[in-house]
Amino acid sequence: EYYALLGKSFFWNAEKIASYQWQKITALVAHAAKTVPFYQRWFAEQKISAADIRSWADFQKLPVIYRSDIDRNLADFTSSEFKFHRGSPASTSGSSGRVLKFYRSWNTESFRRAVLWRHFNQIGYRFKQPRVSLNVAFIDSEVDLLYKYDPIDNLVMINGRFLHSSTAKAIHELITRFEPVMFYAHPVALATL
C-alpha cells in the first residue's frame, strides 16, 4: 500500500506534496499532545491545543527537543499508547558518542521500508539480490556481533562499531564472499572502510 502511494506521489505537484506533509505533521502533533507527557504539559502551559497548530509558523513555536532532554527523562517523551503497540526497535547511528534506542510503529517502519525500496528500485536493485549494509551500531544482545544476516532481505549488516584496521581484512573477506549487488553505508563509514 505504501509502495503504491509512493509510486503515485512521484508525480504529485508541490501543492499536493505540501498538503500530504501537513496532514502527517498535524496527525503527529495531535498524537504527541494527547499521549506524550512532555507535550501534554507544554500545550497546557501554553493554554493551546494541537488544533491551534494551523501553519508552519505555528509549528515552529513548538519547543526544540535536545538529546539531553531525552536523556534526563525518557518517560517524559514516551507515549502512553506505547504499551499497546508492538514497535520495531531502531536506534540512532551513535555518531554523538552514544546510541539512542527508540521504536518505530509498524506503520512507520512499513513506510520507511517502502521509501527505501522505491529508491532501490529506481537505481535498478531488485528484491532478494544480495546486498551489504555497513551499519553504524548494533544494539542490545547484538552489540558484540561483527555482522548479522537477514535472510528475508538477503542482506549482510556489518557492525560499524568494529570498523578499524584490525577487522578490515575480515570485513573485506566477508563482503567479497557474499558478492553483493549493492553496498550501502554512511559516507564516513564507507571512507573509513
Side-chain angles (χ1 to χ4, degrees):
E1 182 181 321
Y2 287 131
Y3 189 83
L5 172 69
L6 289 167
K8 293 174 188 170
S9 72
F10 196 71
F11 302 99
W12 289 352
N13 62 28
E15 184 178 308
K16 176 106 174 166
I17 291 170
S19 172
Y20 181 78
Q21 288 173 332
W22 187 248
Q23 174 190 349
K24 291 299 184 182
I25 288 289
T26 55
L28 180 62
V29 169
H31 169 75
K34 178 182 174 190
T35 71
V36 177
F38 175 86
Y39 289 103
Q40 289 172 325
R41 275 194 318 278
W42 186 86
F43 277 100
E45 289 166 3
Q46 302 301 311
K47 296 182 177 41
I48 62 173
S49 72
D52 294 318
I53 306 298
R54 294 187 192 106
S55 67
W56 287 110
D58 292 337
F59 179 76
Q60 290 173 345
K61 294 175 186 172
L62 291 173
V64 174
I65 306 303
Y66 296 95
R67 173 71 176 265
S68 57
D69 298 325
I70 296 169
D71 288 342
R72 276 194 302 276
N73 191 356
L74 180 62
D76 220 22
F77 296 94
T78 302
S79 168
S80 60
E81 294 182 356
F82 175 75
K83 61 187 173 228
F84 301 117
H85 304 283
R86 279 187 357 184
S88 173
S91 71
T92 60
S93 67
S95 61
S96 67
R98 191 173 63 78
V99 171
L100 175 66
K101 295 183 280 184
F102 59 93
Y103 290 84
R104 293 185 184 105
S105 70
W106 286 110
N107 281 341
T108 300
E109 178 60 13
S110 295
F111 188 82
R112 185 194 72 80
R113 290 175 72 85
V115 168
L116 189 68
W117 279 103
R118 184 178 87 171
H119 290 303
F120 286 172
N121 292 160
Q122 284 178 315
I123 62 169
Y125 177 80
R126 297 295 173 245
F127 187 66
K128 282 292 194 181
Q129 290 179 307
R131 77 179 197 271
V132 170
S133 167
L134 180 54
N135 290 338
V136 175
F138 291 178
I139 58 174
D140 297 333
S141 63
E142 298 174 335
V143 72
D144 291 324
L145 295 177
L146 173 61
Y147 73 94
K148 58 185 177 179
Y149 175 70
D150 177 351
I152 294 172
D153 281 339
N154 198 18
L155 167 67
V156 169
M157 295 169 277
I158 300 170
N159 190 345
R161 178 172 173 240
F162 294 107
L163 185 58
H164 45 74
S165 58
S166 66
T167 59
K169 185 175 181 184
I171 291 171
H172 181 266
E173 287 173 358
L174 172 65
I175 294 168
T176 303
R177 221 175 29 250
F178 191 61
E179 298 181 349
V181 171
M182 181 171 63
F183 181 89
Y184 67 98
H186 287 76
V188 70
L190 188 57
T192 302
L193 180 62

